[in-house]
Amino acid sequence: MTAYVSAFDLFSIGVGPSSSHTVGPMRAALDFVHRLGASEALAAVSRIECTLFGSLGATGIGHGTPDAVVAGLRGLSPESCDPAEVRSAWTEYPAGEPLTLDGQQQIPFAKTDIVFAPRTRLPGHPNAMTLTAWDAAGAPIAEETYYSIGGGFIRREGEGTSITAAGFPYSYADAASLLALCDEHGLSIAEVARLNETAVRSEEDVAAGLDAIWNAMSACVDAGLHSDGVLPGMLKVKRRASTIRAQLDEVEADGHRELPGEWLGAFALAVNEENAAGGRVVTAPTNGAAGILPAVAMYWWRFLADSGLGAGNAVTPYGELVGSALLGFGPDGRGLAAQVDADLDPEQTAEANRRRGIRRFLLTATALGSLFKANASISGAEGGCQAEVGSACAMAAGGLTAVMGGTNRQIENAAEIAMEHHLGLTCDPIGGLVQIPCIERNAIAASTAVTAARLALRGDGSHYVSLDAVVETMRQTGADMSTKYKETSEGGLAVNVIEC
């Protein structure tokens, strides 16, 4: 069994504010009504109840969990829905209004049909929910328990995760075996990911899918940079990314030098403010850490991509590459493919090469993120914020190192540096909202990712602490961490800061 998780599972386009508390429960509710439909039991349903256990019950309202459940019962999918249809779907549910299940079957529904049980923790995972359907006589028709295991992934009681690993030809269990695999076949880490992806999809579909992920990420950055106002919830947190963007635009318009580091922070703030507002975001690998990878990738796109792609990345005539040029690989399958197309003007060529770089960035991050998911956790409820922000920081550091021409061991070193300095990071959101300290935390971690990449690129890839040792330490630390510091808002900042 390989640790590898497809990029299209690890980076899913969804809605804010939480992959585990919003996206996962929405998918679980949608799966439940689909199962009712598949068994031809949907028409007999007259009532549905959903019980939210543990962390879902404790901070569900702040994370929009009951809204997501109602949206899922209605048949909405986080990948394709209008985020506005999810916001307040339960919070402002009209009294006496029937609920249409999967767009087909109308049943009576009341807000009390969502039950909160924060003190009850099911053994399968801290994020658990049970959905029960009854007929008109009050007899149970179906009952399913789901676990939202982080990153929008769900697991139904009695089944495995929603991840499909079949068909991946390049298997690895940990970072050591990934590096050995790369050495054996003369491949980069990104190339391993590419070959796994193209084993189950065409190269054109993989490129288009990665472009769609990046388009959603960059659109989220842009939306956040141009949105003012106050975020929803009792904290009344003021958006800052737009103000910072205006200040930086003014500085640069006056002829002063660009400020890449400050833009990096603004990019991350923009994404996480959009996430907190329930907007369209990409789990990377979670919503709580969704700003780090887009911020670092945008930093490379805007400030580094055209000034040098890294050592060994020669510009060659378009069409002469024997490697996967479409996905950003050179003739030996390793170097970033910077190309010249006679049919494109220089600006279009630069755009095309940046896109190839972003694909390589995302593939590298996917290969690394798979290690955290398989061998530790990406769930804040399970491992604390180290599992979310730490994993995302490591993925971003590795991706940046790759597009800057780093070797496989430099990439692994960058990921190790980034994760090592997030060990023990707690998850204690004030008021159960993904706002404080979450938004600023993404900006800080984006900066850490860039620093980790630069440190790794200055070395030769050799280092004392391995990425595998850090991943295992993160797993052990998460297991030892008190549950009150893992997304329940029962400790830390959540209880030491007044919420008004």
Side-chain angles (χ1 to χ4, degrees):
M1 186 68 176
T2 181
Y4 188 78
V5 177
S6 172
F8 307 110
D9 290 321
L10 201 61
F11 299 116
S12 61
I13 300 172
V15 297
S18 171
S19 52
S20 59
H21 285 61
T22 313
V23 177
M26 190 173 173
R27 287 177 174 159
L30 180 62
D31 182 78
F32 184 67
V33 293
H34 281 177
R35 288 180 181 278
L36 289 171
S39 65
E40 300 183 352
L42 189 63
V45 176
S46 64
R47 179 172 176 257
I48 282 184
E49 181 180 271
C50 177
T51 303
L52 302 174
F53 298 101
S55 182
L56 292 184
T59 63
I61 292 179
H63 286 89
T65 305
D67 297 312
V69 170
V70 171
L73 292 175
R74 288 174 50 203
L76 299 183
S77 167
E79 292 84 359
S80 58
C81 72
D82 180 348
E85 293 190 73
V86 182
R87 303 181 196 121
S88 305
W90 173 86
T91 309
E92 299 178 7
Y93 196 88
E97 182 86 9
L99 177 66
T100 304
L101 299 178
D102 203 17
Q104 303 176 50
Q105 169 76 358
Q106 284 195 339
I107 63 169
F109 182 80
K111 291 176 67 174
T112 53
D113 289 329
I114 306 292
V115 179
F116 299 89
R119 300 297 179 185
T120 302
R121 292 170 60 88
L122 301 191
H125 194 274
N127 292 330
M129 55 187 282
T130 296
L131 289 143
T132 308
W134 290 273
D135 64 17
I141 296 174
E143 181 173 280
E144 298 285 359
T145 294
Y146 294 87
Y147 301 104
S148 182
I149 59 175
F153 293 99
I154 59 172
R155 183 178 72 242
R156 189 168 67 98
E157 183 73 62
E159 287 188 347
T161 68
S162 57
I163 308 168
T164 301
F168 293 145
Y170 288 87
S171 299
Y172 57 91
D174 50 26
S177 58
L178 173 59
L179 291 174
L181 189 68
C182 291
D183 290 344
E184 178 185 356
H185 296 281
L187 300 171
S188 69
I189 290 173
E191 182 74 347
V192 167
R194 179 187 74 83
L195 292 171
N196 279 338
E197 298 292 348
T198 55
V200 294
R201 297 176 177 85
S202 71
E203 188 166 288
E204 290 75 15
D205 285 346
V206 173
L210 294 173
D211 286 350
I213 290 170
W214 171 243
N215 290 342
M217 284 181 170
S218 58
C220 186
V221 171
D222 187 65
L225 289 176
H226 294 87
S227 297
D228 295 306
V230 175
L231 295 173
M234 59 189 169
L235 300 180
K236 306 300 180 186
V237 173
K238 187 178 184 299
R239 285 179 178 254
R240 289 179 288 171
S242 179
T243 299
I244 295 172
R245 185 264 313 157
Q247 292 170 347
L248 294 174
D249 281 343
E250 184 177 354
V251 168
E252 293 174 3
D254 288 340
H256 294 80
R257 65 183 179 87
E258 291 183 316
L259 300 170
E262 294 195 42
W263 276 111
L264 174 68
F267 297 152
L269 292 179
V271 172
N272 284 86
E273 287 174 356
E274 278 296 290
N275 178 61
R280 173 71 68 206
V281 295
V282 178
T283 58
T286 67
N287 283 31
I292 300 164
L293 273 101
V296 174
M298 185 64 76
Y299 168 84
W300 175 81
W301 176 286
R302 177 162 174 175
F303 298 107
L304 302 176
D306 297 334
S307 61
L309 292 168
N313 296 315
V315 176
T316 61
Y318 184 82
E320 292 187 6
L321 297 178
V322 297
S324 174
L326 185 65
L327 293 176
F329 298 91
D332 62 355
R334 303 188 71 165
L336 184 60
Q339 302 175 4
V340 176
D341 188 340
D343 297 326
L344 299 178
D345 63 34
E347 186 173 336
Q348 290 175 313
T349 298
E351 168 83 9
N353 284 327
R354 284 196 297 270
R355 281 208 170 265
R356 293 185 184 99
I358 289 297
R359 293 167 194 158
R360 187 176 178 86
F361 180 103
L362 292 174
L363 288 169
T364 303
T366 297
L368 295 171
S370 298
L371 296 171
F372 294 102
K373 179 157 184 57
N375 298 319
S377 177
I378 59 170
S379 168
E382 193 171 32
C385 197
Q386 60 170 357
E388 296 198 33
V389 165
S391 297
C393 183
M395 293 163 66
L400 181 60
T401 304
V403 295
M404 291 298 290
T407 66
N408 289 331
R409 280 167 175 74
Q410 287 173 323
I411 292 167
E412 185 259 358
N413 188 16
E416 179 274 320
I417 293 169
M419 184 67 242
E420 182 180 345
H421 298 289
H422 282 90
L423 291 174
L425 189 64
T426 59
C427 184
D428 47 2
I430 297 175
L433 300 170
V434 192
Q435 297 178 12
I436 302 173
C438 317
I439 295 173
E440 285 183 354
R441 185 166 286 176
N442 275 251
I444 300 301
S447 178
T448 299
V450 172
T451 300
R454 293 191 180 280
L455 286 172
L457 285 165
R458 291 296 180 185
D460 62 4
S462 61
H463 52 107
Y464 193 83
V465 179
S466 69
L467 177 58
D468 287 330
V470 173
V471 172
E472 173 59 16
T473 303
M474 189 259 275
R475 186 195 67 78
Q476 293 175 3
T477 303
D480 292 341
M481 190 181 292
S482 169
T483 57
K484 69 181 182 179
Y485 296 118
K486 293 191 284 190
E487 235 175 30
T488 58
S489 290
E490 295 177 336
L493 286 176
V495 299
N496 287 314
V497 177
I498 299 174
E499 298 172 0
C500 60

